[in-house]
Amino acid sequence: TGSYPRLILQFELKRNVLYFILETYVPSTLLVMLSWVSFWITLDSVPARTCIGVTTVLSMTTLMIGSRSSLSKTNCFIKAIDVYLGICFSFIFGALVEYAVAHYSSSQKCAAKVPEEVRPDVP
């Protein structure tokens, strides 16, 4: 019916995916793999397993806080990166809890093997 003037507006949004891969995903995956290294350390090596467990938990916590500060502020919405980092944190924390349970059960088995005469008297 005719030619009508109009205003056209286009937005082109780009996300720097390489930044998130190098700054968040790769370090968190490596931290999970490092926490699993403690499964190959003997149960008697308490300082080594505890050091790896606590260090990976603290490093993952720092990584989670850093990723939250680099993203835009939204009103309490959970993001996909929060879910991913939360799952990574649960794997790392689970490895630390596994060692605590394994060490406790090992000490209970050792205490059960000690004969009654050798045990100190407990009032």
Side-chain angles (χ1 to χ4, degrees):
T1 61
S3 176
Y4 298 103
R6 62 185 177 268
L7 179 65
I8 297 175
L9 184 64
Q10 275 186 314
F11 289 104
E12 184 176 329
L13 302 175
K14 286 187 177 180
R15 181 178 298 204
N16 191 356
V17 178
L18 187 63
Y19 170 79
F20 288 106
I21 290 173
L22 293 178
E23 293 290 322
T24 304
Y25 292 110
V26 171
S28 62
T29 304
L30 291 175
L31 280 172
V32 170
M33 290 173 17
L34 179 64
S35 72
W36 290 349
V37 167
S38 68
F39 295 142
W40 289 295
I41 298 174
T42 66
L43 199 59
D44 299 329
S45 183
V46 175
R49 289 185 75 154
T50 305
C51 181
I52 286 178
V54 170
T55 302
T56 53
V57 165
L58 292 176
S59 298
M60 191 66 203
T61 304
T62 304
L63 190 66
M64 290 171 74
I65 292 170
S67 72
R68 286 290 265 169
S69 65
S70 68
L71 294 174
S72 63
K73 306 291 184 239
T74 56
N75 294 335
C76 300
F77 289 119
I78 192 164
K79 300 175 187 71
I81 197 164
D82 296 330
V83 173
Y84 176 78
L85 292 175
I87 291 170
C88 288
F89 184 81
S90 64
F91 278 128
I92 291 172
F93 190 74
L96 185 62
V97 170
E98 179 273 337
Y99 171 65
V101 169
H103 185 69
Y104 178 76
S105 66
S106 172
S107 65
Q108 291 297 319
K109 285 181 184 179
C110 288
K113 287 182 182 179
V114 176
E116 290 292 330
E117 311 80 51
V118 179
R119 288 187 187 170
D121 292 333
V122 179

